[in-house]
Amino acid sequence: DQQVKQNSPSLSVQEGRISILNCDYTNSMFDYFLWYKKYPAEGPTFLISISSIKDKNEDGRFTVFLNKSAKHLSLHIVPSQPGDSAVYFCAALGQGGSEKLVFGKGMKLTVNP
Amino acid sequence: NAGVTQTPKFQVLKTGQSMTLQCAQDMNHNSMYWYRQDPGMGLRLIYYSASEGTTDKGEVPNGYNVSRLNKREFSLRLESAAPSQTSVYFCASSRGADSDYGYTFGSGTRLTVV
C-alpha cells in the first residue's frame, strides 16, 4: 500500500503562472515532509521541507503547505520558470524516529515559455 | 565537488551475471541508502545503512546484497541479475536522524539486464 501518493503524473503550466503540486499521505506517524526535484540523467536534489509542527514554509519562489488533518501537502512555485521543468518527488519521514524517506511516484512539471 | 559518487554510470548485463554498484560519499555522513527508480513507481528503498557496520532491508531487497565497507562507501551487489532488475539505481547519504533530513543523491547508475 502506497503511503505517499502523488496522484497526478504530470502538470503543464505557462511561464510566470503558479504551479501547484499535490501530495497525500496515509501514515499519521509521518512528521517531516520534503520535496525533491529531479532533472533527467541526474539524481534528485533537495528542494524544500516542512515539519509537522508547521503549516507553511517558504523559500524564495517555493512554498510548501501542510494540512495535517487532511494528510495533504502541496508545493507552490510562483512564478514558474522554464528551468523548473523537472520531476518533483514528495517524500515523508517519521514512523517513530525512522530516518528512512518514503517517496511518492513523482510528478513531471513542464513550464512552457 | 563534494557529494555522492556512483560508478558505473551505465551497465548492460546478461541474465545471471553478477555485478557490484559502487557508491562513495565525502561529506562524513553517517547514513547511506540504495534506491531504485522505475517508471511509474517512484523511488523505492532497497537497502540502507544507518551507520558504519550496520545494514537493513528496505522495501525491495530481494535479489540484492549490500556492504558498508567503511563510513564513506556503500556497495550494492546483484549476485544473479534478472531482467526485473533493469532500473536506474541511486545511492544517497544523510547525516542521520539528527540532521535536517536532507538526502544527497548520486547521479545514478542505469542498469539494463538482457
Side-chain angles (χ1 to χ4, degrees):
Chain A
D1 185 30
Q2 201 176 10
Q3 298 184 73
V4 178
K5 301 177 182 179
Q6 294 178 260
N7 293 320
S8 298
S10 63
L11 174 68
S12 183
V13 299
Q14 285 300 118
E15 181 178 5
R17 298 290 187 102
I18 184 171
S19 295
I20 300 176
L21 289 70
N22 294 307
C23 179
D24 297 292
Y25 61 95
T26 59
N27 191 333
S28 58
M29 293 292 289
F30 288 143
D31 56 11
Y32 205 81
F33 303 90
L34 305 90
W35 286 93
Y36 282 80
K37 178 179 180 179
K38 184 184 179 302
Y39 292 117
E42 294 183 10
T45 55
F46 171 72
L47 186 59
I48 192 169
S49 62
I50 187 166
S51 165
S52 61
I53 63 174
K54 295 184 177 181
D55 56 15
K56 178 182 175 181
N57 188 28
E58 282 183 88
D59 184 1
R61 296 185 298 113
F62 303 92
T63 303
V64 56
F65 295 92
L66 176 62
N67 182 333
K68 283 188 66 178
S69 61
K71 294 189 177 68
H72 176 82
L73 62 155
S74 61
L75 174 68
H76 291 210
I77 306 173
V78 183
S80 301
Q81 299 174 354
D84 297 328
S85 298
V87 175
Y88 289 78
F89 290 97
C90 173
L93 189 65
Q95 297 178 295
S98 168
E99 60 188 80
K100 296 176 292 182
L101 283 176
V102 178
F103 286 85
K105 292 184 177 181
M107 169 191 265
K108 183 176 181 180
L109 173 67
T110 302
V111 180
N112 301 303
Chain B
N1 291 335
V4 178
T5 302
Q6 291 183 236
T7 56
K9 292 188 181 302
F10 301 94
Q11 184 71 49
V12 178
L13 290 178
K14 293 182 179 179
T15 298
Q17 286 186 315
S18 63
M19 80 161 294
T20 299
L21 281 64
Q22 307 286 353
C23 175
Q25 52 92 8
D26 57 6
M27 296 170 287
N28 201 36
H29 282 173
N30 293 316
S31 302
M32 298 185 74
Y33 314 82
W34 276 104
Y35 284 86
R36 61 179 286 176
Q37 184 192 10
D38 301 292
M41 299 295 290
L43 291 158
R44 293 183 294 170
L45 182 65
I46 305 171
Y47 269 94
Y48 71 102
S49 170
S51 61
E52 185 179 353
T54 68
T55 61
D56 285 288
K57 294 178 180 179
E59 181 185 357
V60 288
N62 291 344
Y64 305 95
N65 285 301
V66 290
S67 296
R68 185 71 183 267
L69 305 170
N70 47 56
K71 192 170 186 179
R72 291 187 62 247
E73 298 172 290
F74 188 40
S75 62
L76 178 72
R77 183 160 179 84
L78 287 71
E79 289 292 351
S80 179
S84 61
Q85 294 178 304
T86 293
S87 187
V88 181
Y89 292 85
F90 289 101
C91 177
S93 69
S94 73
R95 289 204 303 271
D98 62 345
S99 73
D100 60 2
Y101 307 116
Y103 284 17
T104 300
F105 282 85
S107 58
T109 296
R110 185 174 293 274
L111 175 67
T112 302
V113 183
V114 297

